[in-house]
Amino acid sequence: MTPEVRRAAEILRAGGLVAFPTETVYGLGADASNSAAVARLYAAKGRPPAHPVIVHFADAPAAFTWAREVPPAAHALAARFWPGPLTMILKRAPHVGDDVTGGQDTVGLRVPSHPVAQALLRAFGGGIAAPSANLFGRVSPTRAAHVREDLGAAVDLVLEGGPSEVGIESTIVDLSGITPALLRPGHVRAADIEAVLGRPLGARGSDAPRHSGGLERHYAPRTPTRLVPGHALDAEILRLGGRAAVMAFSRPDERAARWVRMPRDPVAYAQRLYDALRELDGWGCAAILIEAPPDAGDWAAVLDRLRRAASAA
Ligand code: TXA
Ligand code: MG
């Protein structure tokens, strides 16, 4: 254990806030059993209190002590995907506080694989409540520098762990109902989960739990952002008089104010996505134009985030 990780665990035990890297995005952590610490966490993010937060653990046995029912499907998914970028919603155990569940009967559990997250969870020993370490409604952080930009002095310590490998938030699957349902697409694809479950995932039902990732316009830059089909991109750049910041697969023919090239592979695209959005947003252009990726299979998670970034305020 490094001295930094030891200090981070001490800060958590004392009710403080520690930002830490995970393989998906950076999380803002607090002791999930300490209501005052969780309240500080919500205040630092500017997050409404009724929103539930994911609780992180070092391994599946520890995580499952926070659920009162662990269906065979949860064991099967844990064996296949934990540690890794999957969050499971399960019925909460009696000791789990309303502050991490938003008062719901369920709790979100995740076992991250990032070595620094693992070291912190082992040093701390308990559950760490951790939403993404950004201000509420803003783009999630994939680098320690993003966390400092957004949260600055509101965090007691930021653990450095390099750029996040996955780059978008974990896949969320709800196992608290009769039919398992996908609440948020991610790097672990619906098809991969269905292969383990041996049955199709249900659509999110009307009785499904509330979750802030389900709000319209959640992962949004400040600059007005639009998704544009590739064939219409040049016309849009022209219409904006070149004052557009562009995210595209290849150099536009029309001169944009600035542009970034995105990978044609959805996994590489996801890894780069939030960093690119922050960069484009920082240029202060009139608009951000994003060349729409194909609306097909493996792009589901990226498209979900792009649509939210681009939905009107
Ligand atoms: O990859 C991730 O999941 C990152 C890293 C830090 O682990 N965390 C993350 O947390 O994205 P956050 O709070 O930004 O998003 C968590 C999502 C929210 O949409 C939240 O409402 C939902 O999970 N969630 C948490 N507990 C829930 C529950 N009991 N029922 C339904 N949704 C829940
Ligand atoms: Mg978030």
Side-chain angles (χ1 to χ4, degrees), residues 45 132 134 140 218-219:
K45 268 195 70 111
S132 49
N134 52 285
S140 291
H218 188 60
Y219 309 99

Side-chain angles (χ1 to χ4, degrees), residues 25-26 45 47 130-141 169 184 212-213 218-219 274:
V25 300
Y26 276 69
K45 268 195 70 111
R47 185 176 193 164
S132 49
N134 52 285
L135 290 173
F136 181 69
R138 316 274 325 145
V139 177
S140 291
E169 305 82 353
R184 181 170 72 184
S212 62
H218 188 60
Y219 309 99
Y274 288 146

Side-chain angles (χ1 to χ4, degrees), residues 31-289:
D31 178 354
S33 305
N34 178 338
S35 308
V38 174
R40 265 193 80 195
L41 177 69
Y42 278 69
K45 268 195 70 111
R47 185 176 193 164
H51 285 210
V53 64
I54 297 171
V55 187
H56 299 67
F57 295 88
D59 53 36
F64 288 153
T65 63
W66 280 50
R68 71 170 180 277
E69 255 172 54
V70 183
H75 285 291
L77 291 176
R80 171 72 180 80
F81 298 114
W82 279 355
L86 178 72
T87 296
M88 294 189 227
I89 308 296
L90 295 173
K91 289 192 174 131
R92 74 182 197 182
H95 73 272
V96 177
D98 276 344
D99 43 7
V100 291
T101 67
Q104 301 180 75
D105 193 35
T106 56
V107 62
L109 305 172
R110 174 159 125 74
V111 176
S113 63
H114 193 291
V116 174
Q118 275 286 326
L120 177 64
L121 285 160
R122 288 186 191 284
F124 177 63
I128 301 180
S132 49
N134 52 285
L135 290 173
F136 181 69
R138 316 274 325 145
V139 177
S140 291
T142 54
R143 298 168 181 274
H146 298 163
V147 180
R148 291 190 202 99
E149 268 166 40
D150 265 25
L151 299 173
V155 194
D156 297 308
L157 179 71
V158 182
L159 286 175
E160 180 62 64
S164 300
E165 209 181 314
V166 172
I168 55 173
E169 305 82 353
S170 60
T171 306
I172 304 182
V173 62
D174 181 7
L175 299 171
S176 68
I178 295 162
T179 308
L182 188 73
L183 298 189
R184 181 170 72 184
H187 181 78
V188 174
R189 299 168 308 170
D192 302 331
I193 294 171
E194 288 170 339
V196 171
L197 298 180
R199 62 188 287 198
L201 284 167
R204 199 189 324 141
S206 52
D207 61 338
R210 281 168 290 132
H211 63 114
S212 62
L215 293 177
E216 283 295 306
R217 194 168 194 278
H218 188 60
Y219 309 99
R222 292 191 172 84
T223 313
T225 299
R226 268 185 307 134
L227 259 179
V228 180
H231 66 78
L233 196 57
D234 283 314
E236 278 303 304
I237 294 168
L238 196 60
R239 209 175 61 76
L240 281 160
R243 290 174 306 133
V246 176
M247 208 162 129
F249 293 108
S250 57
R251 177 185 289 280
D253 288 336
E254 286 298 331
R255 270 181 73 100
R258 317 202 41 184
W259 78 288
V260 293
R261 184 192 301 274
M262 294 301 285
R264 289 183 186 274
D265 166 65
V267 172
Y269 192 110
Q271 188 176 48
R272 176 91 178 85
L273 176 58
Y274 288 146
D275 193 43
L277 277 179
R278 278 179 186 258
E279 192 179 351
L280 288 158
D281 204 15
W283 292 335
C285 293
I288 295 173
L289 301 179

